[in-house]
């Protein structure tokens, strides 16, 4: 699935240079569930952005299913994000004036999916996360756990092969955290997804098949 070779990402911040990733070589097989942990500022978000085709490395190569992402132009890279990769953000990133269904439909607009088909697929995605009866609710009318389910449905509606989750339980209480993790694990098993989760929560990380730790831009497997 993913192959990263000597990936380095350097940022310029005013008068100093920050190396967020340094010579990262990593393989993530198709269908694996991976948790990424590490201290704040260690490079977790940067690594997730690389895997999500949201950013490019300063040097090195990233391949997804043999396709060299680092060699693609912006349009083709956007097409990969639009079809192959679903991303769940910690802050939900829902549009407050749109219903749950309309929020999920936004993921299909760039693909120019017809309106009727968008609506059908959005409803099906919401049903798959247990929100079939909340399709017409605004985000402000939903609990934190329900909003995260909408965000997951929005990522899934594209029918991606990869699901990336950035602190998906970070804003939730312990009971809701466990419910969301059970949902993600069920989707991973049932759909054969490659699931990659960035988390500070060791209870979440222990549920993964594989744990990676990143510190000062260096990535290692946790035994």
């Amino acid at each position: 699935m993913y192959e990263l070779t000597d990936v380095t990402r350097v940022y310029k911040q005013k008068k100093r240079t920050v190396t967020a990733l340094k010579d990262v070589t990593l393989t993530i097989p198709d269908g694996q569930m991976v948790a990424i942990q590490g201290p704040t500022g260690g490079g977790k978000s940067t690594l997730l952005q690389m895997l999500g085709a949201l950013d490019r490395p300063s040097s090195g190569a990233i391949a997804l299913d043999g396709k060299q992402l680092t060699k693609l132009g912006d349009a083709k890279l956007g097409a990969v994000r639009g079809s192959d990769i679903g991303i769940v953000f910690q802050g939900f990133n829902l549009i407050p004036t749109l219903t749950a269904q309309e929020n999920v439909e936004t993921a299909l607009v760039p693909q120019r999916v017809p309106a009727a088909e968008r609506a059908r697929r959005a409803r099906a995605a919401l049903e798959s996360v247990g929100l079939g009866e909340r399709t017409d609710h605004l985000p402000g009318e939903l609990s934190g756990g329900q909003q995260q389910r909408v965000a997951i449905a929005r990522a899934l509606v594209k029918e991606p092969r990869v699901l990336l989750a950035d602190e998906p339980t970070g804003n939730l209480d312990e009971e809701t955290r466990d419910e969301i993790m059970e949902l993600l694990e069920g989707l991973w098993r049932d759909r054969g997804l490659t699931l990659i989760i960035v988390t500070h929560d060791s209870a979440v990380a222990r549920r993964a098949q594989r744990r990676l730790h990143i510190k000062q831009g260096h990535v290692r497997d946790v035994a």
Side-chain angles (χ1 to χ4, degrees), residues 37 177-178 181 199-208:
Q37 290 183 283
R177 174 202 68 188
D178 292 342
M181 284 307 302
T199 182
H200 279 97
D201 191 334
S202 293
V204 170
R206 284 194 295 268
R207 301 174 77 134

Side-chain angles (χ1 to χ4, degrees), residues 179-192:
E179 291 174 357
I180 291 298
M181 284 307 302
E182 288 172 8
L183 171 64
L184 288 172
E185 287 172 337
L187 293 167
W188 164 64
R189 287 192 300 267
D190 295 344
R191 300 189 180 212

Side-chain angles (χ1 to χ4, degrees), residues 99-101 122-138 141-142 146 149-150:
T99 66
Q101 178 173 317
R123 286 193 298 270
L126 286 165
E127 288 172 1
S128 74
V129 299
L131 288 181
E133 297 180 354
R134 297 286 189 271
T135 59
D136 60 348
H137 285 57
L138 296 171
E141 300 170 327
L142 301 173
Q146 289 171 333
R149 287 172 184 265
V150 175

Side-chain angles (χ1 to χ4, degrees), residues 7-11 50 56-60:
V7 170
T8 294
R9 182 64 171 100
V10 178
Y11 295 99
M50 295 295 162
R56 299 175 185 273
S58 302
S59 61

Side-chain angles (χ1 to χ4, degrees), residues 17 20 23-24 28 47 53 63 69 77 89 92 97 106 108 127 137 140 154 161-162 169 185 202 210-211 219:
T17 299
D23 299 328
V24 174
I28 299 176
L47 179 57
L69 301 184
L77 203 61
F89 300 97
F92 313 144
T97 56
T106 61
L108 297 175
E127 288 172 1
H137 285 57
R154 182 182 55 195
R161 296 185 58 200
V162 180
T169 63
E185 287 172 337
S202 293
R210 180 184 183 188
R211 296 169 65 182
V219 177

Side-chain angles (χ1 to χ4, degrees), residues 108-119 121:
L108 297 175
V109 172
Q111 298 181 20
R112 298 182 180 180
V113 175
E117 178 67 6
R118 287 202 309 267
R121 288 172 60 177

Side-chain angles (χ1 to χ4, degrees), residues 42-198:
K44 298 188 303 297
S45 294
T46 300
L47 179 57
L48 199 72
Q49 289 174 342
M50 295 295 162
L51 297 173
L54 295 169
D55 194 10
R56 299 175 185 273
S58 302
S59 61
I62 302 173
L64 176 60
D65 279 344
K67 185 183 299 182
Q68 293 292 332
L69 301 184
T70 40
K71 295 182 179 180
L72 297 181
D74 290 343
K76 290 185 178 180
L77 203 61
V80 170
R81 289 194 301 269
S83 61
D84 295 336
I85 303 170
I87 304 177
V88 180
F89 300 97
Q90 178 181 0
F92 313 144
N93 288 7
L94 302 179
I95 300 172
T97 56
L98 299 183
T99 66
Q101 178 173 317
E102 290 167 341
N103 266 285
V104 174
E105 286 186 41
T106 61
L108 297 175
V109 172
Q111 298 181 20
R112 298 182 180 180
V113 175
E117 178 67 6
R118 287 202 309 267
R120 184 194 67 78
R121 288 172 60 177
R123 286 193 298 270
L126 286 165
E127 288 172 1
S128 74
V129 299
L131 288 181
E133 297 180 354
R134 297 286 189 271
T135 59
D136 60 348
H137 285 57
L138 296 171
E141 300 170 327
L142 301 173
S143 68
Q146 289 171 333
Q147 290 185 58
Q148 188 61 292
R149 287 172 184 265
V150 175
I152 293 170
R154 182 182 55 195
L156 290 173
V157 76
K158 299 184 293 183
E159 300 177 355
R161 296 185 58 200
V162 180
L163 184 62
L164 306 177
D166 188 4
E167 297 284 359
T169 63
N171 293 330
L172 307 175
D173 60 51
E174 186 173 311
E175 181 179 354
T176 309
R177 174 202 68 188
D178 292 342
E179 291 174 357
I180 291 298
M181 284 307 302
E182 288 172 8
L183 171 64
L184 288 172
E185 287 172 337
L187 293 167
W188 164 64
R189 287 192 300 267
D190 295 344
R191 300 189 180 212
L193 295 166
T194 299
L195 175 60
I196 302 172
I197 300 173
V198 165

